[in-house]
Amino acid sequence: DTYDKGMEKTRKNFSERISDLFSGFREIDEDFYEDLEETLISADVGFNMTIALTDAIRDEIEAQNVYREDDVKRVMIEKMVEIYEKNGEPGAELLNINPDGPTVILFVGVNGVGKTTSVGKIGYQLKQEGHSVLFAAADTFRAGATEQLTVWGERLDIPVVSGKDQGDPASVVYDAVHQAQDEGIDYVLVDTAGRLQTKANLMQELAKIKRIIERENPNGVQEVMLVLDATTGQNAVIQAQQFNEATEITGLVLTKLDGTAKGGVVLSIRYDLDIPVKYIGLGEQATDLQVFDAEQYMYNLVK
Ligand code: GDP
């Protein structure tokens, strides 16, 4: 299916390397664990997570006294899921919903990570599930951002609220929230500008957007989703740290997992920052998006 196809690069590179660990007859000894650590680091699992994961795998392999490739891989998947999930509550991949008005989701992230595309894909998925959706083009800063979102809106038959180029994003959000309330729309997906180079600006702008929504919408903002490009590996972790300092991030969209062998970055971000991955992007089309499923994901990495 699309999931398997999309994950091909991530899976092949990671799982090929995992399989290489077993090539020829070898014992599950110190050398094995050193090679495993190297493999995890190169898949961008991150240093802290690699150490914790290798320790957990070693303990379990010793406890179960297993040595066959199949069994060792099974233990690895179990431990990856366990460590991932222990770091958060179950069901963390689900969206927070507003029971008293439109559910407002802010999308933040630096330019080029796939923010606008993710807004389009998630709008499509919510619509497929039978929800009504409105897009708010609050990235009035980047030339072409509004137009790009408008193209998605036309393609998916989803209304788009926009403002003037370089206009005030807060007024776009104000209009969008009121239109959604007036028309009984379920979800408002807000595309925002990403200017990490001026962190103070970014913080101010996001704070202002949130303040307007808190004033105009019962229960304010339900999700602040950070969009990250998985191909940037550990840079994605650094971006997550920086954005999390600017505003409280409630979930992640990890894009471009179809084009990378660095799928381990999922584990790293969860371990270091405790922010759950909610969606993964596996291509450029509306359908190339999956709700994150830790078990399926880890299985695809290792199998
Ligand atoms: P933004 O600047 O963050 O809004 O990024 P865009 O949404 O404009 O996306 C930048 C580029 O990445 C575009 O060419 C998208 O088609 C592409 N892109 C977005 N998500 C994915 C993905 O999951 N996989 C692949 N292969 N490309 C993606």
Side-chain angles (χ1 to χ4, degrees), residues 101-102 131-134 177-188:
H131 304 293
S132 51
V133 181
L134 179 82
V177 166
H178 281 281
Q179 183 170 329
Q181 288 168 350
D182 293 347
E183 297 178 7
I185 287 170
D186 303 325
Y187 287 90
V188 180

Side-chain angles (χ1 to χ4, degrees), residues 192-229:
T192 68
R195 282 167 290 167
L196 253 190
Q197 62 272 31
T198 52
K199 206 165 118 193
N201 270 357
L202 177 83
M203 210 175 335
Q204 267 174 11
E205 185 168 301
L206 288 175
K208 190 173 170 197
I209 288 174
K210 277 174 97 174
R211 212 162 47 236
I212 298 287
I213 301 170
E214 269 149 25
R215 202 181 67 201
E216 303 300 324
N217 195 41
N219 307 319
V221 176
Q222 278 62 57
E223 296 275 2
V224 181
M225 298 275 251
L226 175 62
V227 184
L228 295 173
D229 177 344

Side-chain angles (χ1 to χ4, degrees), residues 95 105 121-133 187 189 279:
L95 292 177
I105 305 177
K121 289 175 180 177
I122 292 168
Y124 171 77
Q125 187 167 97
L126 290 169
K127 217 182 150 182
Q128 288 292 103
E129 291 167 5
H131 304 293
S132 51
V133 181
Y187 287 90
L189 308 188
Y279 292 98

Side-chain angles (χ1 to χ4, degrees), residues 61-92:
I61 284 174
E62 283 171 6
Q64 293 190 18
N65 195 19
V66 290
Y67 52 88
R68 283 183 41 226
E69 180 172 345
D70 280 3
D71 291 324
V72 173
K73 281 183 174 174
R74 174 179 50 75
V75 169
M76 287 175 64
I77 295 168
E78 274 168 23
K79 289 295 140 189
M80 284 160 86
V81 173
E82 197 180 290
I83 286 195
Y84 180 87
E85 292 193 334
K86 208 184 278 173
N87 240 29
E89 71 278 23

Side-chain angles (χ1 to χ4, degrees), residues 97-164:
I97 303 299
N98 185 1
D100 306 317
T103 294
V104 180
I105 305 177
L106 299 185
F107 289 82
V108 302
V110 300
N111 288 340
V113 291
K115 204 164 9 122
T116 308
T117 306
S118 298
V119 170
K121 289 175 180 177
I122 292 168
Y124 171 77
Q125 187 167 97
L126 290 169
K127 217 182 150 182
Q128 288 292 103
E129 291 167 5
H131 304 293
S132 51
V133 181
L134 179 82
F135 289 154
D139 182 358
T140 55
F141 185 77
R142 178 166 73 90
T146 297
E147 200 180 283
Q148 199 186 336
L149 192 61
T150 305
V151 170
W152 275 101
E154 280 166 4
R155 201 188 298 159
L156 303 174
D157 197 20
I158 289 175
V160 181
V161 172
S162 59
K164 288 195 294 278

